[in-house]
Amino acid sequence: MHKKEFNVVIAGATGLVGGQMITCLEESEFPIKNINFLASSRSAGKKLDFKGEKIVVQEMTEKSFKGNDIALFSAGGSTSKKFAPKAAESGCIVVDNSSYWRKDKDVPLIVPEVNPHAIKDYVKKGIIANPNCSTIQMVVALNPIYRNYGIKRLVISTYQSVSGTGKKAVDELFEQTRDIVNSKEIKKDVYPHQIAFNCLPHIDSFLDTGYSKEEMKMVDETIKIFEDEKIGITATTVRVPVFYSHSESVNIETEKHVTPEQIRNLLVNAPGIEVLDDPSNNIYPLATNASGKDTTFVGRIRQDQSIENGIDMWIVADNIRKGAATNTVQIAELLAEKYL
Ligand code: A2P
Protein backbone atom coordinates (compact mmCIF):
# COMPACT_ATOMS: atom_id res chain seq x y z
CA MET A 1 0.00 0.00 0.00
CA HIS A 2 1.23 3.51 -0.80
CA LYS A 3 2.22 5.34 2.40
CA LYS A 4 0.37 8.61 2.91
CA GLU A 5 2.48 11.77 2.64
CA PHE A 6 1.66 15.14 4.18
CA ASN A 7 1.93 18.82 3.35
CA VAL A 8 3.62 20.37 6.38
CA VAL A 9 3.99 23.98 7.53
CA ILE A 10 6.52 25.33 10.03
CA ALA A 11 5.07 28.54 11.48
CA GLY A 12 7.97 30.48 13.04
CA ALA A 13 10.60 28.69 10.94
CA THR A 14 13.25 31.38 11.52
CA GLY A 15 13.10 31.09 15.33
CA LEU A 16 15.19 28.96 17.68
CA VAL A 17 12.50 26.29 18.13
CA GLY A 18 11.35 26.55 14.50
CA GLY A 19 14.92 25.91 13.35
CA GLN A 20 15.13 22.86 15.58
CA MET A 21 11.76 21.62 14.27
CA ILE A 22 13.30 21.73 10.79
CA THR A 23 16.29 19.68 12.01
CA CYS A 24 14.02 17.18 13.81
CA LEU A 25 11.90 16.73 10.67
CA GLU A 26 15.05 16.23 8.58
CA GLU A 27 16.20 13.55 11.01
CA SER A 28 12.80 11.85 11.28
CA GLU A 29 11.04 9.48 8.90
CA PHE A 30 7.99 11.72 8.86
CA PRO A 31 6.40 11.32 5.39
CA ILE A 32 6.51 14.82 3.88
CA LYS A 33 5.10 15.62 0.45
CA ASN A 34 5.74 19.35 0.62
CA ILE A 35 7.06 21.72 3.28
CA ASN A 36 6.37 25.45 3.75
CA PHE A 37 8.25 27.83 6.02
CA LEU A 38 6.40 30.81 7.51
CA ALA A 39 7.57 33.73 9.68
CA SER A 40 6.89 37.46 10.04
CA SER A 41 7.17 39.93 7.13
CA ARG A 42 10.71 40.70 8.40
CA SER A 43 11.89 37.28 7.22
CA ALA A 44 9.86 36.95 4.01
CA GLY A 45 12.15 36.02 1.11
CA LYS A 46 14.88 34.56 3.32
CA LYS A 47 15.98 31.05 2.26
CA LEU A 48 16.34 28.12 4.67
CA ASP A 49 17.68 24.62 3.93
CA PHE A 50 15.54 21.52 4.12
CA LYS A 51 17.15 18.20 3.17
CA GLY A 52 19.56 19.97 0.81
CA GLU A 53 16.88 22.11 -0.82
CA LYS A 54 16.48 25.88 -0.39
CA ILE A 55 13.00 26.83 0.80
CA VAL A 56 11.87 30.47 0.65
CA VAL A 57 10.31 31.78 3.88
CA GLN A 58 6.89 33.34 3.39
CA GLU A 59 5.02 35.85 5.51
CA MET A 60 2.35 34.14 7.61
CA THR A 61 -1.17 35.17 6.58
CA GLU A 62 -4.60 33.65 7.11
CA LYS A 63 -4.33 32.07 3.66
CA SER A 64 -0.97 30.36 4.29
CA PHE A 65 -2.50 27.10 5.55
CA LYS A 66 -4.91 26.11 2.76
CA GLY A 67 -3.98 22.81 1.14
CA ASN A 68 -1.74 21.82 4.05
CA ASP A 69 -2.30 18.92 6.46
CA ILE A 70 -0.25 19.76 9.57
CA ALA A 71 1.22 23.03 10.87
CA LEU A 72 3.88 23.06 13.58
CA PHE A 73 3.65 26.44 15.33
CA SER A 74 6.36 28.20 17.31
CA ALA A 75 5.88 31.89 16.67
CA GLY A 76 4.70 33.14 20.09
CA GLY A 77 1.33 33.14 21.88
CA SER A 78 -0.34 36.03 20.07
CA THR A 79 0.52 34.56 16.65
CA SER A 80 -0.90 31.17 17.73
CA LYS A 81 -4.03 32.84 19.10
CA LYS A 82 -4.65 34.58 15.78
CA PHE A 83 -3.51 32.01 13.23
CA ALA A 84 -4.06 28.53 14.75
CA PRO A 85 -7.89 28.70 14.41
CA LYS A 86 -7.49 29.97 10.82
CA ALA A 87 -5.21 27.04 10.01
CA ALA A 88 -7.65 24.58 11.62
CA GLU A 89 -10.57 26.12 9.65
CA SER A 90 -8.62 25.46 6.44
CA GLY A 91 -8.31 21.79 7.41
CA CYS A 92 -4.69 22.06 8.55
CA ILE A 93 -4.24 20.52 12.04
CA VAL A 94 -2.07 22.63 14.35
CA VAL A 95 0.52 21.36 16.82
CA ASP A 96 1.20 24.48 18.86
CA ASN A 97 4.30 25.12 20.93
CA SER A 98 3.06 28.34 22.57
CA SER A 99 1.25 28.48 25.90
CA TYR A 100 -1.87 30.07 24.42
CA TRP A 101 -4.02 26.93 23.87
CA ARG A 102 -2.65 24.63 26.56
CA LYS A 103 -5.38 25.17 29.17
CA ASP A 104 -8.29 25.04 26.68
CA LYS A 105 -10.42 22.01 27.63
CA ASP A 106 -11.00 21.23 23.94
CA VAL A 107 -7.28 21.19 23.13
CA PRO A 108 -5.32 18.06 24.08
CA LEU A 109 -1.96 18.66 25.79
CA ILE A 110 0.31 15.84 24.74
CA VAL A 111 3.57 14.18 25.70
CA PRO A 112 3.62 11.03 23.53
CA GLU A 113 5.40 8.87 26.15
CA VAL A 114 2.83 9.87 28.80
CA ASN A 115 -0.71 10.48 27.48
CA PRO A 116 -0.90 9.47 23.78
CA HIS A 117 -4.57 8.43 24.20
CA ALA A 118 -5.64 12.06 24.78
CA ILE A 119 -4.62 13.13 21.25
CA LYS A 120 -7.95 11.84 19.87
CA ASP A 121 -9.58 15.06 21.15
CA TYR A 122 -7.76 17.02 18.43
CA VAL A 123 -11.01 16.71 16.44
CA LYS A 124 -12.71 19.23 18.75
CA LYS A 125 -10.72 22.29 17.62
CA GLY A 126 -8.12 20.95 15.18
CA ILE A 127 -5.43 22.14 17.61
CA ILE A 128 -3.04 20.08 19.77
CA ALA A 129 -0.84 21.80 22.35
CA ASN A 130 2.76 21.02 23.19
CA PRO A 131 3.38 21.51 26.94
CA ASN A 132 5.89 23.87 28.51
CA CYS A 133 9.50 22.67 28.22
CA SER A 134 9.96 22.20 31.99
CA THR A 135 6.72 20.24 32.25
CA ILE A 136 7.58 17.88 29.38
CA GLN A 137 10.88 16.61 30.78
CA MET A 138 9.41 16.30 34.28
CA VAL A 139 6.33 14.27 33.29
CA VAL A 140 8.43 11.95 31.10
CA ALA A 141 10.46 11.09 34.23
CA LEU A 142 7.47 11.02 36.59
CA ASN A 143 5.11 8.97 34.43
CA PRO A 144 6.45 5.49 35.38
CA ILE A 145 6.47 6.52 39.06
CA TYR A 146 2.95 7.94 38.87
CA ARG A 147 1.58 4.80 37.17
CA ASN A 148 3.25 2.37 39.60
CA TYR A 149 3.34 4.14 42.96
CA GLY A 150 0.99 7.14 42.70
CA ILE A 151 2.02 10.74 43.37
CA LYS A 152 0.62 12.82 46.25
CA ARG A 153 2.78 15.95 46.04
CA LEU A 154 5.63 17.50 44.04
CA VAL A 155 8.04 20.23 45.16
CA ILE A 156 9.94 21.53 42.13
CA SER A 157 12.86 23.93 41.58
CA THR A 158 14.02 24.57 38.02
CA TYR A 159 17.30 25.84 36.58
CA GLN A 160 16.25 26.95 33.10
CA SER A 161 18.51 27.96 30.23
CA VAL A 162 18.21 31.23 28.33
CA SER A 163 17.37 29.51 25.02
CA GLY A 164 13.87 29.02 26.48
CA THR A 165 13.38 32.78 26.01
CA GLY A 166 14.48 32.73 22.34
CA LYS A 167 17.36 33.82 20.13
CA LYS A 168 17.72 37.32 21.62
CA ALA A 169 18.25 35.89 25.11
CA VAL A 170 21.00 33.54 23.91
CA ASP A 171 22.77 36.58 22.41
CA GLU A 172 22.24 38.61 25.59
CA LEU A 173 23.90 35.98 27.81
CA PHE A 174 26.83 35.71 25.38
CA GLU A 175 27.29 39.48 25.10
CA GLN A 176 26.98 40.18 28.84
CA THR A 177 29.47 37.42 29.67
CA ARG A 178 31.93 38.77 27.08
CA ASP A 179 31.50 42.36 28.29
CA ILE A 180 31.88 41.50 31.96
CA VAL A 181 35.12 39.53 31.47
CA ASN A 182 36.41 42.50 29.42
CA SER A 183 35.38 44.96 32.19
CA LYS A 184 32.90 46.68 29.88
CA GLU A 185 29.45 48.08 30.60
CA ILE A 186 26.69 45.49 29.93
CA LYS A 187 23.42 45.94 28.01
CA LYS A 188 20.11 44.59 29.38
CA ASP A 189 17.31 44.17 26.86
CA VAL A 190 15.65 40.80 27.35
CA TYR A 191 15.77 40.29 31.13
CA PRO A 192 15.13 42.92 33.84
CA HIS A 193 18.49 42.10 35.48
CA GLN A 194 21.93 40.92 34.44
CA ILE A 195 21.67 37.22 33.49
CA ALA A 196 25.42 36.53 33.15
CA PHE A 197 26.84 35.14 36.43
CA ASN A 198 23.40 35.43 38.03
CA CYS A 199 20.18 33.50 38.77
CA LEU A 200 16.80 35.16 38.23
CA PRO A 201 13.84 33.67 40.16
CA HIS A 202 11.56 35.16 37.53
CA ILE A 203 10.25 33.42 34.40
CA ASP A 204 7.24 34.93 32.63
CA SER A 205 5.16 37.46 34.59
CA PHE A 206 4.05 37.35 38.23
CA LEU A 207 0.50 36.67 39.42
CA ASP A 208 -1.32 38.09 42.48
CA THR A 209 -0.62 34.84 44.35
CA GLY A 210 3.13 35.52 44.20
CA TYR A 211 3.73 32.63 41.79
CA SER A 212 5.03 33.31 38.29
CA LYS A 213 3.06 32.18 35.23
CA GLU A 214 5.87 29.71 34.40
CA GLU A 215 5.44 28.12 37.85
CA MET A 216 1.70 27.78 37.33
CA LYS A 217 2.27 26.25 33.88
CA MET A 218 4.12 23.41 35.61
CA VAL A 219 1.26 22.98 38.11
CA ASP A 220 -1.68 23.21 35.69
CA GLU A 221 -0.11 21.30 32.82
CA THR A 222 1.06 18.38 35.00
CA ILE A 223 -2.49 18.03 36.38
CA LYS A 224 -3.99 18.17 32.87
CA ILE A 225 -1.54 15.60 31.45
CA PHE A 226 -2.02 13.10 34.31
CA GLU A 227 -5.77 13.92 34.46
CA ASP A 228 -5.42 14.04 38.25
CA GLU A 229 -6.42 17.15 40.20
CA LYS A 230 -5.44 15.55 43.50
CA ILE A 231 -1.68 15.92 42.98
CA GLY A 232 -0.37 18.83 45.12
CA ILE A 233 2.30 20.78 43.22
CA THR A 234 4.47 23.77 44.11
CA ALA A 235 7.23 25.14 41.89
CA THR A 236 9.96 27.79 41.85
CA THR A 237 11.23 28.45 38.33
CA VAL A 238 14.62 30.11 37.91
CA ARG A 239 16.49 31.39 34.84
CA VAL A 240 20.20 30.54 35.03
CA PRO A 241 23.19 31.54 32.84
CA VAL A 242 23.16 28.32 30.80
CA PHE A 243 22.65 28.41 27.02
CA TYR A 244 20.84 25.10 26.40
CA SER A 245 19.03 22.45 28.52
CA HIS A 246 16.90 22.82 31.62
CA SER A 247 17.75 21.12 34.93
CA GLU A 248 15.19 20.39 37.64
CA SER A 249 15.25 19.30 41.25
CA VAL A 250 12.04 17.39 41.95
CA ASN A 251 10.88 16.13 45.32
CA ILE A 252 8.15 13.52 45.00
CA GLU A 253 5.83 12.31 47.73
CA THR A 254 4.48 8.98 46.50
CA GLU A 255 1.25 7.24 47.55
CA LYS A 256 3.00 3.89 48.07
CA HIS A 257 6.45 3.39 49.54
CA VAL A 258 9.22 3.04 46.94
CA THR A 259 13.00 2.74 47.20
CA PRO A 260 15.56 4.55 45.01
CA GLU A 261 16.58 1.13 43.63
CA GLN A 262 13.00 0.39 42.53
CA ILE A 263 12.80 3.83 40.87
CA ARG A 264 16.10 3.24 39.03
CA ASN A 265 14.90 -0.15 37.75
CA LEU A 266 11.63 1.37 36.61
CA LEU A 267 13.22 4.34 34.82
CA VAL A 268 15.95 2.29 33.10
CA ASN A 269 13.22 0.53 31.11
CA ALA A 270 11.00 3.56 30.51
CA PRO A 271 10.70 5.21 27.06
CA GLY A 272 12.71 8.39 26.39
CA ILE A 273 14.73 8.18 29.65
CA GLU A 274 18.36 7.51 30.46
CA VAL A 275 19.39 7.03 34.09
CA LEU A 276 22.79 8.57 34.94
CA ASP A 277 23.13 7.88 38.63
CA ASP A 278 26.54 7.06 40.05
CA PRO A 279 27.41 10.15 42.13
CA SER A 280 30.52 8.62 43.73
CA ASN A 281 32.01 8.52 40.21
CA ASN A 282 30.70 12.04 39.41
CA ILE A 283 27.99 10.63 37.17
CA TYR A 284 24.73 12.59 37.14
CA PRO A 285 22.80 14.46 34.43
CA LEU A 286 24.35 17.72 33.17
CA ALA A 287 22.96 20.44 30.91
CA THR A 288 26.09 20.37 28.76
CA ASN A 289 25.70 16.64 28.08
CA ALA A 290 21.95 16.74 27.44
CA SER A 291 22.19 19.44 24.77
CA GLY A 292 21.41 18.24 21.26
CA LYS A 293 19.78 15.01 22.52
CA ASP A 294 16.15 13.88 22.65
CA THR A 295 16.54 11.89 25.87
CA THR A 296 15.45 12.99 29.35
CA PHE A 297 18.27 12.26 31.81
CA VAL A 298 17.56 11.35 35.45
CA GLY A 299 19.96 11.00 38.37
CA ARG A 300 20.67 11.80 42.05
CA ILE A 301 17.77 9.46 42.86
CA ARG A 302 17.58 9.23 46.63
CA GLN A 303 15.21 8.74 49.54
CA ASP A 304 13.84 11.93 51.07
CA GLN A 305 14.62 11.27 54.73
CA SER A 306 12.21 13.93 56.01
CA ILE A 307 8.97 12.13 55.08
CA GLU A 308 7.73 8.53 54.93
CA ASN A 309 7.27 8.12 51.15
CA GLY A 310 9.61 10.62 49.53
CA ILE A 311 12.06 10.55 46.63
CA ASP A 312 14.36 13.28 45.35
CA MET A 313 15.71 13.37 41.82
CA TRP A 314 17.50 15.58 39.27
CA ILE A 315 16.04 15.75 35.76
CA VAL A 316 17.81 17.31 32.75
CA ALA A 317 16.79 17.61 29.07
CA ASP A 318 17.42 19.81 26.05
CA ASN A 319 14.60 22.38 26.28
CA ILE A 320 14.68 23.17 22.57
CA ARG A 321 14.61 19.50 21.52
CA LYS A 322 12.55 17.29 23.91
CA GLY A 323 11.17 20.42 25.60
CA ALA A 324 9.87 21.82 22.32
CA ALA A 325 10.77 20.72 18.76
CA THR A 326 11.20 16.96 19.30
CA ASN A 327 7.98 16.66 21.30
CA THR A 328 6.09 18.65 18.63
CA VAL A 329 7.40 16.39 15.85
CA GLN A 330 6.57 13.28 17.95
CA ILE A 331 3.00 14.59 18.35
CA ALA A 332 2.76 15.08 14.56
CA GLU A 333 4.08 11.52 14.04
CA LEU A 334 1.54 10.08 16.49
CA LEU A 335 -1.28 12.01 14.81
CA ALA A 336 -0.25 10.96 11.30
CA GLU A 337 0.25 7.31 12.27
CA LYS A 338 -2.98 6.81 14.22
CA TYR A 339 -5.49 9.35 12.96
CA LEU A 340 -4.76 10.68 9.44
P1 A2P B 1 10.81 36.45 12.46
O1 A2P B 1 12.15 35.77 12.50
O2 A2P B 1 10.44 36.90 11.09
O3 A2P B 1 10.66 37.52 13.50
P2 A2P B 1 12.26 33.17 18.64
O4 A2P B 1 11.34 32.73 19.74
O5 A2P B 1 13.48 32.35 18.53
O6 A2P B 1 12.56 34.64 18.73
O7 A2P B 1 11.42 32.96 17.24
C1 A2P B 1 10.11 33.46 17.01
C2 A2P B 1 9.58 33.03 15.63
O8 A2P B 1 8.24 33.51 15.48
C3 A2P B 1 10.36 33.58 14.46
O9 A2P B 1 10.34 32.67 13.39
C4 A2P B 1 9.54 34.83 14.13
O10 A2P B 1 9.72 35.30 12.79
C5 A2P B 1 8.15 34.30 14.30
N1 A2P B 1 7.19 35.39 14.51
C6 A2P B 1 7.18 36.32 15.48
N2 A2P B 1 6.15 37.16 15.33
C7 A2P B 1 5.45 36.76 14.23
C8 A2P B 1 4.27 37.22 13.54
N3 A2P B 1 3.58 38.26 13.97
N4 A2P B 1 3.88 36.54 12.44
C9 A2P B 1 4.57 35.48 12.00
N5 A2P B 1 5.69 35.00 12.60
C10 A2P B 1 6.13 35.62 13.70
Side-chain angles (χ1 to χ4, degrees):
M1 202 180 84
H2 184 66
K3 201 174 166 193
K4 195 167 177 206
E5 289 185 323
F6 301 95
N7 292 330
V8 177
V9 175
I10 308 276
T14 50
L16 218 46
V17 173
Q20 199 56 244
M21 283 173 175
I22 295 170
T23 307
C24 287
L25 279 176
E26 285 179 319
E27 290 168 3
S28 81
E29 308 261 291
F30 192 85
I32 293 175
K33 197 190 317 170
N34 188 48
I35 192 150
N36 279 307
F37 292 161
L38 306 177
S40 76
S41 54
R42 295 179 290 274
S43 306
K46 202 172 160 181
K47 288 186 181 129
L48 295 175
D49 281 332
F50 185 74
K51 295 189 175 173
E53 220 186 301
K54 295 264 180 241
I55 311 274
V56 180
V57 177
Q58 292 165 348
E59 180 183 356
M60 195 184 313
T61 71
E62 292 179 4
K63 295 192 182 122
S64 304
F65 303 95
K66 200 159 184 277
N68 287 291
D69 302 298
I70 301 180
L72 309 184
F73 267 69
S74 190
S78 54
T79 311
S80 292
K81 177 186 176 189
K82 182 170 168 199
F83 290 103
K86 300 290 173 199
E89 269 169 33
S90 344
C92 176
I93 300 162
V94 172
V95 186
D96 182 35
N97 194 58
S98 84
S99 60
Y100 187 78
W101 297 98
R102 290 180 194 150
K103 290 210 281 191
D104 189 312
K105 64 174 180 23
D106 294 332
V107 172
L109 183 66
I110 303 295
V111 179
E113 293 89 338
V114 180
N115 63 339
H117 66 276
I119 201 172
K120 63 180 183 332
D121 286 342
Y122 82 89
V123 289
K124 293 184 178 165
K125 274 210 161 102
I127 303 172
I128 302 164
N130 194 57
N132 177 254
C133 41
S134 304
T135 309
I136 293 177
Q137 65 183 71
M138 182 177 75
V139 297
V140 165
L142 291 181
N143 186 49
I145 302 169
Y146 177 73
R147 308 280 169 211
N148 286 276
Y149 299 98
I151 293 178
K152 244 187 180 163
R153 181 167 187 251
L154 299 168
V155 181
I156 307 155
S157 300
T158 68
Y159 305 70
Q160 299 183 216
S161 67
V162 294
S163 53
T165 317
K167 259 183 189 154
K168 283 189 189 136
V170 171
D171 293 342
E172 183 153 304
L173 172 59
F174 175 81
E175 284 159 16
Q176 287 185 357
T177 308
R178 182 198 57 200
D179 291 344
I180 288 167
V181 297
N182 288 306
S183 308
K184 285 194 182 148
E185 203 59 18
I186 60 153
K187 278 208 210 90
K188 284 179 291 191
D189 286 325
V190 179
Y191 299 113
H193 302 283
Q194 174 187 320
I195 181 66
F197 309 101
N198 213 356
C199 297
L200 312 182
H202 177 179
I203 302 185
D204 208 332
S205 50
F206 288 106
L207 301 162
D208 291 344
T209 54
Y211 281 99
S212 69
K213 280 193 184 165
E214 183 82 352
E215 287 157 356
M216 293 318 293
K217 283 176 208 163
M218 295 200 79
V219 174
D220 298 336
E221 294 178 18
T222 302
I223 285 169
K224 180 164 175 176
I225 292 165
F226 285 132
E227 298 169 24
D228 186 349
E229 294 198 345
K230 291 196 305 302
I231 309 175
I233 308 174
T234 186
T236 304
T237 56
V238 182
R239 190 71 70 190
V240 296
V242 167
F243 286 108
Y244 293 97
S245 294
H246 291 352
S247 305
E248 298 172 345
S249 152
V250 181
N251 176 267
I252 309 153
E253 185 174 0
T254 51
E255 297 278 356
K256 293 184 211 154
H257 187 74
V258 57
T259 66
E261 204 44 44
Q262 284 171 312
I263 299 265
R264 267 180 224 111
N265 291 337
L266 198 58
L267 295 187
V268 159
N269 296 308
I273 297 177
E274 190 175 333
V275 174
L276 292 176
D277 201 14
D278 185 6
S280 57
N281 286 309
N282 304 331
I283 292 173
Y284 31 72
L286 293 172
T288 45
N289 296 345
S291 294
K293 305 203 176 97
D294 291 328
T295 313
T296 296
F297 298 90
V298 186
R300 298 291 322 281
I301 302 167
R302 61 203 190 277
Q303 206 92 52
D304 170 357
Q305 298 184 340
S306 70
I307 50 172
E308 208 178 319
N309 296 331
I311 291 287
D312 281 297
M313 55 170 60
W314 180 247
I315 304 167
V316 181
D318 185 325
N319 55 300
I320 302 295
R321 286 196 66 109
K322 183 56 186 166
T326 305
N327 201 69
T328 307
V329 170
Q330 284 176 329
I331 292 173
E333 285 173 336
L334 179 66
L335 180 75
E337 205 180 291
K338 293 256 169 72
Y339 297 95
L340 301 183

Coordinates of all heavy atoms in Angstrom, one line a residue, residues 170-183 186 194-197 241 243:
V170 N 19.7 34.3 24.1 CA 21.0 33.5 23.9 C 22.1 34.6 23.6 O 23.2 34.5 24.2 CB 20.9 32.5 22.8 CG1 22.2 31.9 22.4 CG2 19.9 31.4 23.2
D171 N 21.8 35.5 22.7 CA 22.8 36.6 22.4 C 23.1 37.4 23.6 O 24.2 37.8 23.9 CB 22.2 37.5 21.3 CG 22.1 36.7 20.0 OD1 22.7 35.7 19.8 OD2 21.4 37.2 19.1
E172 N 22.0 37.7 24.4 CA 22.2 38.6 25.6 C 23.2 38.0 26.6 O 24.1 38.6 27.2 CB 20.9 39.0 26.2 CG 21.0 39.9 27.4 CD 19.8 40.8 27.6 OE1 19.4 41.5 26.7 OE2 19.3 40.7 28.8
L173 N 23.0 36.7 26.9 CA 23.9 36.0 27.8 C 25.3 36.0 27.3 O 26.3 36.3 28.0 CB 23.4 34.5 28.1 CG 24.4 33.7 28.9 CD1 24.7 34.3 30.3 CD2 23.9 32.3 29.1
F174 N 25.5 35.7 26.0 CA 26.8 35.7 25.4 C 27.5 37.1 25.5 O 28.6 37.2 26.0 CB 26.7 35.3 23.9 CG 28.1 35.4 23.2 CD1 29.0 34.4 23.3 CD2 28.4 36.5 22.4 CE1 30.2 34.5 22.7 CE2 29.6 36.6 21.8 CZ 30.5 35.6 21.9
E175 N 26.7 38.1 25.1 CA 27.3 39.5 25.1 C 27.6 40.0 26.5 O 28.7 40.6 26.7 CB 26.3 40.4 24.4 CG 26.4 40.2 22.9 CD 25.2 40.8 22.1 OE1 24.4 41.5 22.7 OE2 25.0 40.3 20.9
Q176 N 26.7 39.7 27.5 CA 27.0 40.2 28.8 C 28.2 39.5 29.4 O 29.0 40.1 30.1 CB 25.8 39.9 29.7 CG 24.6 40.8 29.5 CD 23.4 40.6 30.5 OE1 23.5 39.7 31.3 NE2 22.4 41.4 30.3
T177 N 28.3 38.2 29.1 CA 29.5 37.4 29.7 C 30.8 38.0 29.1 O 31.7 38.3 29.8 CB 29.3 35.9 29.3 OG1 28.1 35.5 29.7 CG2 30.4 35.1 29.9
R178 N 30.7 38.2 27.8 CA 31.9 38.8 27.1 C 32.3 40.1 27.6 O 33.4 40.4 28.0 CB 31.6 38.9 25.6 CG 32.7 39.4 24.7 CD 32.2 39.8 23.4 NE 31.2 40.9 23.5 CZ 30.3 41.2 22.6 NH1 30.3 40.6 21.5 NH2 29.4 42.1 22.8
D179 N 31.2 41.0 27.8 CA 31.5 42.4 28.3 C 32.0 42.4 29.7 O 32.9 43.2 30.1 CB 30.2 43.2 28.1 CG 29.9 43.5 26.6 OD1 30.8 43.2 25.8 OD2 28.8 43.9 26.3
I180 N 31.5 41.5 30.6 CA 31.9 41.5 32.0 C 33.3 41.1 32.1 O 34.1 41.7 32.8 CB 30.9 40.6 32.8 CG1 29.6 41.3 33.0 CG2 31.6 40.3 34.2 CD1 28.5 40.5 33.5
V181 N 33.7 40.0 31.4 CA 35.1 39.5 31.5 C 36.1 40.6 30.8 O 37.3 40.6 31.2 CB 35.4 38.1 30.9 CG1 34.6 37.1 31.6 CG2 35.1 38.0 29.4
N182 N 35.6 41.4 30.0 CA 36.4 42.5 29.4 C 36.2 43.8 30.1 O 36.6 44.9 29.6 CB 36.1 42.7 27.9 CG 36.6 41.5 27.1 OD1 37.8 41.2 27.2 ND2 35.8 40.8 26.4
S183 N 35.6 43.8 31.3 CA 35.4 45.0 32.2 C 34.7 46.1 31.4 O 35.0 47.3 31.6 CB 36.7 45.5 32.7 OG 37.4 44.5 33.3
I186 N 27.6 46.5 30.6 CA 26.7 45.5 29.9 C 25.4 46.1 29.5 O 25.0 47.2 30.0 CB 26.3 44.3 30.8 CG1 25.6 44.7 32.1 CG2 27.5 43.4 31.1 CD1 24.7 43.7 32.7
Q194 N 20.8 41.6 35.1 CA 21.9 40.9 34.4 C 21.7 39.4 34.6 O 21.4 38.9 35.6 CB 23.2 41.3 35.2 CG 24.4 40.6 34.8 CD 25.6 41.0 35.7 OE1 25.7 42.1 36.1 NE2 26.4 40.0 36.1
I195 N 21.8 38.7 33.4 CA 21.7 37.2 33.5 C 23.0 36.5 33.6 O 23.2 35.5 34.2 CB 20.8 36.7 32.3 CG1 20.6 35.1 32.4 CG2 21.4 37.0 30.9 CD1 19.8 34.6 33.6
A196 N 24.1 37.1 33.0 CA 25.4 36.5 33.1 C 25.8 36.5 34.6 O 25.6 37.4 35.4 CB 26.4 37.4 32.3
F197 N 26.4 35.4 35.0 CA 26.8 35.1 36.4 C 25.8 35.4 37.5 O 26.0 35.9 38.6 CB 28.1 36.0 36.7 CG 29.2 35.9 35.7 CD1 29.3 36.8 34.7 CD2 30.0 34.8 35.7 CE1 30.3 36.7 33.7 CE2 31.0 34.6 34.7 CZ 31.1 35.6 33.7
P241 N 22.3 31.2 34.0 CA 23.2 31.5 32.8 C 23.8 30.3 32.1 O 25.0 30.1 32.1 CB 24.3 32.4 33.5 CG 24.3 32.1 34.9 CD 22.9 31.6 35.3
F243 N 23.2 28.2 28.4 CA 22.6 28.4 27.0 C 21.5 27.4 26.7 O 20.5 27.8 26.3 CB 23.7 28.4 25.9 CG 24.6 29.6 26.0 CD1 25.9 29.5 26.4 CD2 24.1 30.8 25.5 CE1 26.7 30.6 26.4 CE2 24.9 32.0 25.6 CZ 26.2 31.9 26.0

